Amino acid sequence: MGHPWLQVGLGGAVLGGLYLLGVNRNLLYLSMLFSAAVVMSALLRRWWAAMLGLVACAYLACVPAPVPDLGPLYPAPRDIPGAERMWVRAIGKGETWTYQFTVGDLVGHSEGAAPAGYLYIDGRNLSGLVIGVQGRTLVGAGFCSKKSGLDHVAIPLGNDTANTLEVTLRGMPQSTPRIFHGPEVHGFDVYSDAVWLEFTRNEDRMIYHAKRAVAPR
């Protein structure tokens, strides 16, 4: 392992293989791990140290870990002046934000119990958010709680989930809801809003994101 380029190639092959096998499809996270492997290839010359670093990168790419609330170290400012403009985007007056989720026939092709589905939204001032989902019009105040200093909306979807699910968001006349910037990445797609669907069944969890389309109301 005295050749840095051999270490870089081996690290790229391992992480690329994990992507192709579907173990981890988050290219942003994998690129961060590959960057760490490149740095280690320049610093670690002993074969056992290089292999240990590569095994650590592969482990981080394969094994999910619960991340607790980091308190003051949480990367999104909560009550710092100016945070409203930095980490959230307001739904403009007269705007309707639309999200088209393609989830497939989760209910019709489920083995055993149908997965429990929820629509989740993070942001601020979400009590004044008007939400359209599956033909229903709901107000955020009835589903809103606090999570990590942000408003968190959780709406059960029931068992009538269609192949394609449309969600619309708009603000009430005297309210300006602000949607938190979503950090999610899938492949080369970055989803800008913390608006997502989550389905769980036993130990399985399926998460779906969609990009925002903005139209005047």
Side-chain angles (χ1 to χ4, degrees):
M1 281 293 183
H3 303 286
W5 290 113
L6 179 59
Q7 297 172 220
V8 171
L10 183 59
V14 170
L15 296 176
L18 294 176
Y19 175 84
L20 294 175
L21 291 173
V23 177
N24 190 324
R25 291 300 181 110
N26 190 327
L27 285 178
L28 179 61
Y29 185 57
L30 291 176
S31 66
M32 294 170 61
L33 292 176
F34 180 67
S35 298
V38 171
V39 172
M40 286 188 295
S41 69
L43 299 178
L44 305 177
R45 298 298 182 179
R46 297 182 181 275
W47 70 268
W48 59 267
M51 288 300 298
L52 185 61
L54 181 58
V55 169
C57 289
Y59 177 83
L60 292 174
C62 294
V63 181
V67 179
D69 186 0
L70 300 178
L73 298 179
Y74 190 71
R78 303 176 182 185
D79 299 315
I80 300 175
E84 296 289 347
R85 297 185 300 274
M86 292 174 56
W87 294 92
V88 294
R89 178 172 176 180
I91 299 178
K93 298 297 183 183
E95 286 185 352
T96 297
W97 292 9
T98 302
Y99 303 83
Q100 291 279 356
F101 295 92
T102 302
V103 298
D105 189 4
L106 291 174
V107 177
H109 293 88
S110 296
E111 296 182 1
Y118 279 84
L119 165 65
Y120 290 123
I121 306 168
D122 285 347
R124 297 189 187 275
N125 301 330
L126 298 188
S127 294
L129 184 65
V130 179
I131 306 150
V133 54
Q134 291 183 295
R136 297 179 292 165
T137 300
L138 308 170
V139 178
F143 304 89
C144 191
S145 62
K146 287 292 183 181
K147 184 188 80 171
S148 300
L150 295 169
D151 288 349
H152 178 66
V153 169
I155 298 176
L157 298 175
N159 294 327
D160 56 343
T161 305
N163 291 353
T164 301
L165 191 149
E166 181 178 277
V167 174
T168 60
L169 305 179
R170 59 183 174 86
M172 297 178 70
Q174 304 302 321
S175 178
T176 305
R178 295 175 170 86
I179 305 301
F180 186 63
H181 292 323
E184 295 300 325
V185 177
H186 180 74
F188 293 100
D189 294 321
V190 179
Y191 298 96
S192 59
D193 301 327
V195 179
W196 73 100
L197 306 181
E198 187 169 315
F199 297 89
T200 57
R201 182 181 62 240
N202 299 327
E203 299 298 324
D204 298 326
R205 182 174 63 170
M206 296 159 282
I207 297 176
Y208 296 86
H209 296 272
K211 293 189 175 182
R212 173 209 318 150
V214 180
R217 195 168 55 203

